[in-house]
Amino acid sequence: MNSNILEVRDLRVNYHTRHGAVRAVNGVSFDLHVGERLGLVGESGSGKSTAALALMRLIRPPGKIDGGQVLLDGLSLLELSDERMRQIRLAEIAMVSQGAMNSLNPVTRVRRQIEDALRDHDVKMQTRERAEWIGELLQRVGLPRTAADLFPHELSGGMKQRACIAIAICLKPKVIIADEPTSALDVVVQHQVMETLETLRADLGASVILIGHDMGLMAQAVDRLGVMYAGDLVEIGDIDELFSEPLHPYTRLLMASLPSLEQKEAARGIPGLMPSLLNKPTGCPFHPRCPDAFERCKVEEPKLRAVGISAVGTSAVGTNRNVACHLHHPTEGISSGSVPFSREAA
Ligand code: SF4
């Protein structure tokens, strides 16, 4: 039995502008295991949200999926007709996007918006059965059943986001993509919404891809983490291993930029800026910002490869760890530049 619900291979998304192709997702590959929570993290412009939209086949011109493969439970999504993909969306793979709450129709009651989603997918239900399912959905996302009869403007931000999650799960998808689902919410509501997502994932037996830039949130919410930079996946691994021994210098800097309780001075950002995707640096795209860069980094682009090392210091590192950095060639060992990091500090 295949333990992967989703397999992404060499996914390429370009934005075709009059200045040339902007390589927003540059040959990204990863698997999502059944029931797993996978995080994708990176700064703005890293390609994580574009990758998520590509999985849903929601890239709009001038963007275009220019290559790769996305297998959902063995079904090749990039080869489906538009109509078949429309049916698959929501039913098999659903997305709660950034600011999804703003996509609710303000003049249509919540009940009607969920009914529309069911009707669009030809779900046949008796009126009573449908009303019961909508009530149950709302309860599952932490809303009262009576919220069905409210208009979106009568809901708080957190309630609107919950209503969006109710729509996303109304057909019990196998994969839920949550793209910065809590970005517009205050910290307390963020925590509640994340708890709701986790409860739903467990109830539905779904797998989740969580997109974000907050390493602290990722530490609490995912099983595995992928780190993206300038359209590339530069590191991916088990969340505990990755936090105890970040290998890619960018991952280390992302972690170092997290505030901690012990730290007296202000948290430091990562020096420099993400490069233009129209004009990426030669070699490793991170080399102009990388504190560990050496000559080879300027001319040779590192590939994402498994790190075949059994133990480092006190923490074991398995072969599930992949990193795109010349410091970590499988036969070379792990550089002394890797600094242990406490996950609790997040
Ligand atoms: Fe830094 Fe070189 Fe590794 Fe790129 S390949 S992250 S520049 S050490």
Side-chain angles (χ1 to χ4, degrees):
M1 192 189 118
N2 189 353
S3 64
N4 296 330
I5 186 69
L6 192 71
E7 294 173 353
V8 180
R9 295 289 175 269
D10 199 24
L11 183 64
R12 293 174 186 276
V13 182
N14 296 319
Y15 286 89
H16 296 275
T17 73
R18 61 196 170 93
H19 301 294
V22 174
R23 288 183 287 157
V25 176
N26 190 28
V28 164
S29 302
F30 62 86
D31 296 328
L32 176 67
H33 308 320
V34 173
E36 184 182 43
R37 302 167 301 173
L38 172 70
L40 285 181
V41 76
E43 295 166 285
S44 292
S46 62
K48 57 194 190 304
S49 293
T50 304
L53 286 170
L55 300 182
M56 298 291 293
R57 271 190 46 191
L58 288 173
I59 298 288
R60 298 280 172 254
K64 187 164 173 280
I65 300 173
D66 279 335
Q69 194 175 42
V70 178
L71 295 178
L72 175 66
D73 212 3
L75 187 66
S76 181
L77 297 187
L78 302 188
E79 294 177 57
L80 298 180
S81 68
D82 290 347
E83 173 55 21
R84 183 76 184 114
M85 188 61 212
R86 187 189 67 75
Q87 294 166 356
I88 296 285
R89 257 182 242 121
L90 216 59
E92 305 283 333
I93 180 167
M95 185 166 180
V96 182
S97 57
Q98 275 182 61
M101 51 188 152
N102 299 325
S103 65
L104 289 171
N105 186 334
V107 293
T108 304
R109 293 181 203 278
V110 170
R111 176 190 309 286
R112 177 70 192 280
Q113 301 199 43
I114 300 176
E115 284 174 347
D116 285 349
L118 295 171
R119 196 173 301 115
D120 277 352
H121 285 77
D122 299 324
V123 175
K124 305 275 186 288
M125 278 181 172
Q126 300 293 333
T127 307
R128 245 178 91 175
E129 187 189 3
R130 192 171 58 231
E132 181 54 34
W133 177 228
I134 290 172
E136 187 183 327
L137 276 172
L138 293 174
Q139 278 188 319
R140 281 188 177 204
V141 298
L143 289 172
R145 284 172 170 261
T146 49
D149 295 314
L150 298 178
F151 291 99
H153 70 79
E154 297 176 283
L155 305 176
S156 68
M159 292 172 84
K160 276 193 263 192
Q161 194 62 318
R162 287 171 190 273
C164 290
I165 296 172
I167 294 171
I169 62 159
C170 73
L171 293 167
K172 302 186 185 173
K174 295 172 187 158
V175 173
I176 301 169
I177 301 173
D179 184 1
E180 310 244 17
T182 61
S183 59
L185 305 174
D186 68 54
V187 176
V188 175
V189 180
Q190 270 184 17
H191 185 69
Q192 292 167 346
V193 169
M194 290 309 300
E195 275 189 345
T196 301
L197 261 176
E198 171 51 15
T199 306
L200 289 169
R201 183 197 65 83
D203 285 356
L204 297 175
S207 310
V208 167
I209 298 177
L210 178 64
I211 313 280
H213 59 270
D214 182 341
M215 290 294 264
L217 185 71
M218 291 293 173
Q220 309 303 323
V222 304
D223 305 308
R224 254 182 339 129
L225 185 62
V227 179
M228 289 193 68
Y229 185 79
D232 299 324
L233 186 63
V234 297
E235 183 162 9
I236 186 165
D238 174 89
I239 188 75
D240 290 325
E241 288 183 357
L242 198 136
F243 264 74
S244 63
E245 203 84 40
L247 299 184
H248 197 283
Y250 180 59
T251 312
R252 293 206 319 267
L253 288 171
L254 278 179
M255 289 178 175
S257 66
L258 273 173
S260 78
L261 290 176
E262 298 83 41
Q263 195 176 320
K264 298 269 189 310
E265 68 274 22
R268 276 171 297 129
I270 302 175
L273 295 172
M274 179 83 68
S276 160
L277 297 181
L278 254 178
N279 196 12
K280 274 167 84 165
T282 56
C284 172
F286 189 55
H287 86 253
R289 302 172 77 186
C290 180
D292 299 329
F294 54 106
E295 279 310 306
R296 183 180 170 196
C297 307
K298 296 178 188 166
V299 291
E300 188 184 333
E301 187 171 357
K303 301 282 175 243
L304 189 76
R305 289 183 292 188
V307 179
I309 288 169
S310 58
V312 179
T314 55
S315 63
V317 177
T319 52
N320 286 334
R321 196 70 173 285
N322 286 266
V323 63
C325 172
H326 295 314
L327 292 172
H328 303 289
H329 185 277
T331 57
E332 289 175 359
I334 291 185
S335 84
S336 55
S338 296
V339 290
F341 182 88
S342 164
R343 189 178 172 189
E344 281 67 42

